[in-house]
Amino acid sequence: MSKPLILTSQTGSVRTLILNRPQSLNSFSSAMLAELLYELDQAATDPEVRCLVIGAAGRAFCAGQDLADALVAPDLTPGAKPKDLGIVIERYYKPLVERVRSMPTPVVAAVNGVAAGAGAALALHCDIVIAATSASFIQAFSKIGLAPDTGASWLLPRLIGRAQTLALMMLGEKLSAVDAERMGLVWKCVDDASLQEETASLAQKLSTLPTKALVATRQAVDSAMNVPLDIALRAEGALQRELGYAPDYNEGVAAFLGKRTPKFTDR
Ligand code: T3D
């Protein structure tokens, strides 16, 4: 039997997915993308999961699209038909971004090494990005004659503004995790040796918080980026109404007033 390209594990309510093609720096083959989409669906529909972590095996996080995969590798024989990369985006990368950004739990990326192209985008679409100090991010698309995909052109200007985005994307230079933290691209950098422990502790904490409220928080922040204040205020009211009807609100307030730790159960 072939080795899984996505390793999964569960600790308490935390589901961890590990990209597992270390020999190719976890670049996305079509088989790995299909497995990843499947595992994201599994996590999304499993009521036992209250936090999802995406990490990687070996020295890299993910080097983006596997450029040797038959799906995308150009056929160099004269007169050969060029590959339709639009189909690749529709089939794999669009659903990938949609799944991560609509996950019904918080999503953490633990970036252990280089994250390039679609690999960087995957990490940066997660709700909280924690990176090892030796990790790095490369907007590698221009280096192979492509424009950004996997939602990077939407996401980066929102995170760091147009000027920094265009320079990173046009030059395709490596950005250290330390600089990524300074620019506000990731939440924080930690020592390489403590990445695993810090990620586990962050994920465990997130798994005890009110999942529905955390997901509504993502929704509120994402939609507020694109609308005027009055619409954002109305959207906040609608989300708060929904959360106010849910049991976690009763539990949170009761725990506060009762001076005890809350036990959240909604998802
Ligand atoms: O068609 C489409 O492409 C549509 C979708 C696009 C989405 C995208 O993600 S576009 C961006 C694709 N990714 C890249 O262009 C990055 C290519 N990789 C690199 O630039 C470098 O490998 C890194 C900067 C990421 C790391 O450099 P380094 O020096 O640490 O490692 P290396 O020696 O280059 O790579 C190690 C091995 O991984 C090597 O294999 P080998 O020689 O040991 O057998 C290398 O070929 C392989 N590898 C690295 N990245 C990829 C890859 N193999 C296939 N695809 C890769 N993307």
Side-chain angles (χ1 to χ4, degrees):
M1 218 171 88
S2 55
K3 264 200 336 207
L5 302 171
I6 303 295
L7 303 174
T8 65
S9 61
Q10 179 93 10
T11 306
S13 308
V14 177
R15 173 75 48 89
T16 299
L17 307 184
I18 297 290
L19 311 178
N20 187 36
R21 295 183 73 232
Q23 67 288 357
S24 306
L25 305 190
N26 302 312
S27 53
F28 287 125
S29 62
S30 42
M32 186 166 97
L33 283 164
E35 268 186 46
L36 181 56
L37 292 175
Y38 173 80
E39 292 300 346
L40 289 170
D41 282 345
Q42 294 297 108
T45 51
D46 185 340
E48 297 305 312
V49 178
R50 297 177 63 84
C51 179
L52 179 70
V53 175
I54 302 179
R59 72 175 173 93
F61 179 75
C62 173
Q65 170 64 43
D66 180 343
L67 300 173
D69 192 292
L71 189 69
V72 300
D75 181 346
L76 300 178
T77 47
K81 207 171 150 222
K83 298 275 162 70
D84 180 347
L85 300 186
I87 289 180
V88 180
I89 304 300
E90 278 296 318
R91 188 178 302 160
Y92 295 109
Y93 291 109
K94 181 170 173 286
L96 177 61
V97 175
E98 288 168 345
R99 278 175 177 68
V100 169
R101 293 195 74 97
S102 64
M103 188 59 58
T105 69
V107 187
V108 173
V111 184
N112 54 311
V114 65
L122 168 64
L124 299 176
H125 278 295
C126 295
D127 297 320
I128 300 186
V129 187
I130 182 164
T133 303
S134 69
S136 56
F137 298 85
I138 310 178
Q139 297 302 312
F141 309 95
S142 65
K143 289 180 147 186
I144 53 166
L146 294 182
D149 59 33
T150 320
S153 62
W154 179 91
L155 180 63
L156 266 73
R158 285 169 167 76
L159 292 175
I160 57 172
R162 182 177 187 273
Q164 301 278 10
T165 297
L166 284 179
L168 286 176
M169 288 181 166
M170 288 184 173
L171 299 172
E173 287 173 357
K174 191 179 271 196
L175 180 74
S176 72
V178 174
D179 284 342
E181 182 197 51
R182 185 182 47 76
M183 287 163 64
L185 199 61
V186 305
W187 178 51
K188 75 168 175 181
C189 254
V190 296
D191 287 344
D192 289 13
S194 48
L195 178 66
Q196 225 177 336
E197 196 185 323
E198 293 253 10
T199 304
S201 138
L202 169 67
Q204 201 280 334
K205 178 171 184 178
L206 286 166
S207 75
T208 65
L209 296 176
T211 310
K212 254 193 172 162
L214 303 191
V215 172
T217 301
R218 174 207 296 144
Q219 203 183 323
V221 169
D222 285 353
S223 57
M225 298 263 186
N226 306 315
V227 297
L229 178 62
D230 62 322
I231 306 283
L233 290 171
R234 237 177 291 154
E236 283 180 355
L239 282 172
Q240 222 61 308
R241 178 172 300 119
E242 196 184 319
L243 292 168
Y245 289 145
D248 275 354
Y249 175 62
N250 293 347
E251 169 62 8
V253 175
F256 174 75
L257 296 177
K259 301 192 188 306
R260 63 174 174 79
T261 305
K263 172 99 186 75
F264 294 114
T265 52
D266 281 353
R267 184 181 178 276

